[in-house]
Amino acid sequence: MRQTFGYKAKARQFFVVLLPIFITQLSLMATGFFNTVMAGHISQQDLAGVAVGVNLFMPFFGSFLGIISGLTPTISQLYGADKSHKIGFIVKQGFYWALALGAGFVALGWLAVPHILPLLHLEPKVEYITSHYLMFLSIGIMPIFISSVLRNFIDAHGYTRLTMCVTMCTVPTNITLNYIFMYGLLGMPAFGGIGAGIGSAITLTLNLLLNIIVVTTMKPFKEYHVFRDLPKIDLAEWKKQLGVGIPIGATMFCEQSIFGAVGLFMTAYGTAIVAAHQAAMNFTTIVYMIPLAVSMTLTILVGFEVGAKRLADARQYIRLSRYLTFFSVGSIALLLTQFRAEIAAFYTTSSEVQPILTGFLVYAVFMQFADSINAPLQGALRGFKDVHVTFMLAVLSFWIIGLPVGWGLARFTDFGPYGYWLGLIAGVIIGAICLEIRLRQVQKQAASTVKQ
């Protein structure tokens, strides 16, 4: 990354950072997409089993990775302030606490899942698929947590194309392995939905190996020597890093857990509703990769500019992000309104699930617009390392407003399961309004600090 002058140069640098992030995120979501499609073509039970597993897994997995992503604004601000000599130590300490997080995550899953699944009153086959899918997936947790430290290290320097290349190698491998284990090829037994967990665990380990190769063989990363002369554990540094990372992870947990919670509430409406809801959420998540990639790009570029005390440049990047997300998501929403039935048919062959899924996709249009406002604001605030208020606003908008509204609409109106989607949309919109107000406050505070 470098200092830029004018909107044209900023737009060029914005897209240089953005496009690899977008391709990376889209590739990662492609795994979930193909898993959903493959499971849906095996049986409703396999689709539902993977769906419940994903709804239990992703809120916690995403939040733990969110904690690690706190490294990105920290490293990008140091890089912008020309204090690169401090970065290697931060990455090495990141290895330590990421391993501790990984061990805690695996232990939490092994202890909690056997007690949670019976409470959901799933069909026996669905419960079996869910438990074994999660069991095999847990094998890849420790490797992907260390890999995430390396990925944030790379991205914070603006070399997002390198993590894109790593992902472009691992995702086809993941899809291929999942297909082999789910359908039983090359002499392997057909594990059904459980096979997705086996293939994913292998791929997560491969992801770590490729990231290690990048940081040990390529400039400027090999010059940091992140695997040499590992220092002692520095709890004071842990406290500083986790002080940024934990609020980010907690915010992600609020967002992802509410979607997971809604997915679990859907179990009350039967397997067909669960399957349709999961397919609709999977499609929405794929489209969400646009505002998410913009958010991640803003964290890097805003952090870089804030570190160099160029606040006007940071504001210009934020303005560019708004134009991009509205145009992109708006275009996709128009296509979705025309091809809902075709999308539903692609996800499942079930005549019972297809019409329900078509209805959910209508609400997905409004969800996409709400996300296009919310996500970039979060990325900008993370670039300023303003994370604590963002977390409190997430609790307010999602759990205090969004979920209760959705539950009330589902329980006391004719919307039924669609009421939860309305609640989610309302929560995201309210969150975006609050984040906009907070961003303006943070920008004013930063400007007054620079003047002093």
Side-chain angles (χ1 to χ4, degrees):
M1 291 184 294
R2 57 185 175 80
Q3 183 179 4
T4 55
F5 301 92
Y7 274 107
K8 184 176 181 180
K10 282 183 170 56
R12 186 181 301 112
Q13 179 150 280
F14 190 93
F15 279 100
V16 166
V17 178
L18 169 70
L19 290 178
I21 291 177
F22 173 67
I23 294 172
T24 298
Q25 294 303 120
L26 191 62
S27 298
L28 291 171
M29 286 302 102
T31 302
F33 170 77
F34 281 104
N35 285 350
T36 302
V37 171
M38 285 188 283
H41 284 267
I42 295 173
S43 71
Q44 287 187 24
Q45 288 76 20
D46 283 276
L47 177 56
V50 172
V52 174
V54 168
N55 284 325
L56 286 172
F57 176 76
M58 286 307 299
F60 296 96
F61 180 67
S63 62
F64 274 65
L65 291 186
I67 295 173
I68 299 173
S69 74
L71 289 168
T72 296
T74 299
I75 295 173
S76 63
Q77 285 196 14
L78 289 172
Y79 188 54
D82 198 23
K83 297 179 180 178
S84 298
H85 60 281
K86 297 183 178 181
I87 293 175
F89 177 74
I90 288 175
V91 173
K92 292 173 184 178
Q93 292 296 322
F95 291 149
Y96 298 153
W97 55 259
L99 282 172
L101 287 176
F105 182 86
V106 173
L108 177 65
W110 281 79
L111 291 173
V113 169
H115 299 286
I116 293 174
L117 291 182
L119 301 177
L120 301 179
H121 304 293
L122 302 170
E123 296 178 17
K125 184 179 179 180
V126 173
E127 181 175 333
Y128 179 84
I129 292 169
T130 299
S131 62
H132 286 74
Y133 165 80
L134 293 173
M135 180 182 69
F136 284 110
L137 186 58
S138 68
I139 298 171
I141 294 301
M142 300 294 277
I144 197 60
F145 276 33
I146 297 300
S147 179
S148 295
V149 173
L150 297 176
R151 176 185 172 182
N152 283 278
F153 171 47
I154 296 168
D155 284 351
H157 286 75
Y159 287 83
T160 53
R161 63 186 180 276
L162 292 178
T163 51
M164 176 193 72
C165 291
V166 169
T167 305
M168 293 297 288
C169 291
T170 56
V171 166
T173 303
N174 195 5
I175 294 171
T176 302
L177 289 173
N178 289 358
Y179 189 83
I180 290 171
F181 288 112
M182 291 175 77
Y183 285 90
L185 302 178
L186 303 178
M188 294 291 176
F191 288 95
I194 298 170
I198 301 172
S200 296
I202 297 172
T203 307
L204 294 177
T205 305
L206 174 63
N207 187 283
L208 171 60
L209 295 176
L210 292 176
N211 274 299
I212 290 174
I213 292 171
V214 168
V215 300
T216 55
T217 62
M218 302 186 69
K219 292 183 177 181
F221 310 106
K222 69 177 184 178
E223 297 168 355
Y224 289 97
H225 305 296
V226 295
F227 292 108
R228 280 193 207 167
D229 303 320
L230 294 175
K232 295 180 180 179
I233 291 175
D234 187 333
L235 295 180
E237 185 61 35
W238 285 31
K239 183 178 180 181
K240 287 170 58 178
Q241 294 181 24
L242 293 173
V244 177
I246 288 177
I248 294 176
T251 300
M252 291 185 173
F253 180 79
C254 283
E255 297 171 354
Q256 296 185 18
S257 62
I258 195 171
F259 292 105
V262 168
L264 296 178
F265 279 125
M266 291 291 178
T267 60
Y269 295 94
T271 300
I273 293 291
V274 172
H277 169 77
Q278 175 61 19
M281 286 302 301
N282 180 262
F283 181 83
T284 303
T285 302
I286 292 173
V287 177
Y288 178 66
M289 292 305 99
I290 297 174
L292 177 61
V294 171
S295 175
M296 296 172 71
T297 301
L298 277 180
T299 297
I300 295 168
L301 293 175
V302 170
F304 179 72
E305 301 295 353
V306 169
K309 299 183 178 180
R310 295 189 294 263
L311 301 183
D313 295 75
R315 284 195 295 271
Q316 289 176 343
Y317 280 123
I318 294 170
R319 194 172 295 118
L320 279 171
S321 73
R322 288 173 172 166
Y323 297 143
L324 174 64
T325 51
F326 271 118
F327 174 78
S328 302
V329 175
S331 300
I332 293 174
L334 288 175
L335 291 174
L336 177 56
T337 57
Q338 299 298 317
F339 298 102
R340 297 195 312 275
E342 289 79 3
I343 293 170
F346 185 75
Y347 269 97
T348 179
T349 56
S350 171
S351 59
E352 182 182 4
V353 175
Q354 280 189 18
I356 303 171
L357 175 53
T358 303
F360 278 130
L361 290 175
V362 174
Y363 295 90
V365 174
F366 298 97
M367 178 69 77
Q368 290 159 18
F369 276 112
D371 282 333
S372 71
I373 303 171
N374 187 294
L377 290 169
Q378 289 192 23
L381 285 167
R382 286 170 188 158
F384 282 95
K385 293 173 70 173
D386 183 78
V387 292
H388 294 87
V389 174
T390 305
F391 163 61
M392 290 186 285
L393 292 178
V395 174
L396 170 68
S397 58
F398 287 109
W399 285 96
I400 298 179
I401 297 175
L403 186 60
V405 169
W407 181 83
L409 290 172
R411 182 76 179 273
F412 301 110
T413 72
D414 294 333
F415 285 108
Y418 300 108
Y420 286 108
W421 279 71
L422 289 172
L424 293 176
I425 294 166
V428 173
I429 292 174
I430 292 170
I433 295 171
C434 295
L435 289 171
E436 176 65 32
I437 296 170
R438 179 59 183 172
L439 178 59
R440 294 184 181 185
Q441 293 174 343
V442 169
Q443 288 175 322
K444 289 180 181 179
Q445 293 170 1
S448 63
T449 301
V450 170
K451 289 179 182 179
Q452 294 173 1

